[in-house]
Amino acid sequence: MYSIDFVATTGAGDVEVNATMTFKADKYSSWAENIEKVTLEGVDITGVLTDEQFADLEAKGIKAIEAQREWEIVNYEP
């Protein structure tokens, strides 16, 4: 199981939050992505997110995973 921390915006005012997502991965792809925690100014707000906000943050988390994988490929040193 892997995890990634990322910053994203959510809500009507595009508030910046910190999120932690866990996932499983191999060298080809990732799966079982799940938002574990969302904080706003250090306070856990995971339980107060709407379904739409949660889905939006999951999509942003998947993009963060993809960006990290791309970075690892480009910066790979054997």
Side-chain angles (χ1 to χ4, degrees), residues 3-6 18-22 34-39:
S3 70
I4 188 168
D5 295 314
F6 62 97
N18 296 309
T20 301
M21 176 178 261
T22 58
N34 187 46
I35 296 282
E36 292 293 324
K37 185 176 178 181
V38 180
T39 59

Side-chain angles (χ1 to χ4, degrees), residues 55-67:
D56 183 52
L57 287 174
E58 284 183 326
K60 290 176 180 177
I62 291 168
K63 288 182 183 178
I65 293 168
E66 291 171 355

Side-chain angles (χ1 to χ4, degrees), residues 6 14 17 27 41 43 45 50 67 73 78:
F6 62 97
D14 282 334
V17 296
K27 64 181 182 178
E41 298 176 0
V43 178
I45 61 166
T50 65
I73 290 169

